[in-house]
Amino acid sequence: MEVISIEKKTFEEMTLKFDEFVKRIENVCHRNSDKGMGEWLDNQEVCKLLNICPRTLQTLRDNGTLAYSQIQHKIYYKAGDVQRIVSVVENKRKEARFRNKTI
């Protein structure tokens, strides 16, 4: 094991800077927690909530109906955005049923 020694004054300055850094991070987290970020849902959860298939969900993303965020290869949706389009999906479902009945 390698031992490194530093002056007490240097250690105290490092500790002070680290404490300041922690306070800044806590302030940022506190400010952003008040923005109503809410719960995030993945593809499977959204498909279940809207009773749609993954391809339909992709269409909603592609045409801009449903906003999303992507982290690496995983896609997430804000719960509020999903709730907002429930009526849109229901109306399209009713239109499709009506078209099928008139044919």
Side-chain angles (χ1 to χ4, degrees):
M1 172 165 64
E2 187 177 346
V3 177
I4 299 174
S5 64
I6 58 174
E7 287 183 59
K8 181 178 180 182
K9 180 180 175 184
T10 304
F11 178 76
E12 288 171 350
E13 288 175 7
M14 288 173 52
T15 303
L16 181 64
K17 287 193 181 285
F18 183 75
D19 288 342
E20 290 171 1
F21 176 75
V22 168
K23 286 178 186 175
R24 287 194 343 235
I25 295 299
E26 286 174 347
N27 285 337
V28 167
C29 290
H30 179 69
R31 280 194 311 252
N32 288 330
S33 69
D34 295 339
K35 291 188 178 178
M37 295 301 279
E39 181 183 352
W40 288 80
L41 307 170
D42 65 10
N43 283 335
Q44 185 176 3
E45 293 168 319
V46 174
C47 286
K48 276 186 178 180
L49 283 171
L50 298 177
N51 195 25
I52 58 175
C53 68
R55 180 66 186 112
T56 302
L57 182 56
Q58 182 177 344
T59 301
L60 293 173
R61 283 194 315 266
D62 292 346
N63 66 20
T65 303
L66 183 58
Y68 64 95
S69 294
Q70 185 170 353
I71 301 173
Q72 293 182 356
H73 299 290
K74 191 145 171 107
I75 297 175
Y76 297 95
Y77 310 85
K78 287 184 180 179
D81 290 343
V82 174
Q83 283 301 121
R84 181 182 52 77
I85 69 157
V86 167
S87 61
V88 172
V89 171
E90 286 300 317
N91 288 340
K92 290 196 184 265
R93 197 173 277 137
K94 288 177 187 175
E95 289 173 12
R97 279 191 224 127
F98 179 75
R99 271 187 258 129
N100 289 339
K101 285 182 181 180
T102 58
I103 296 178

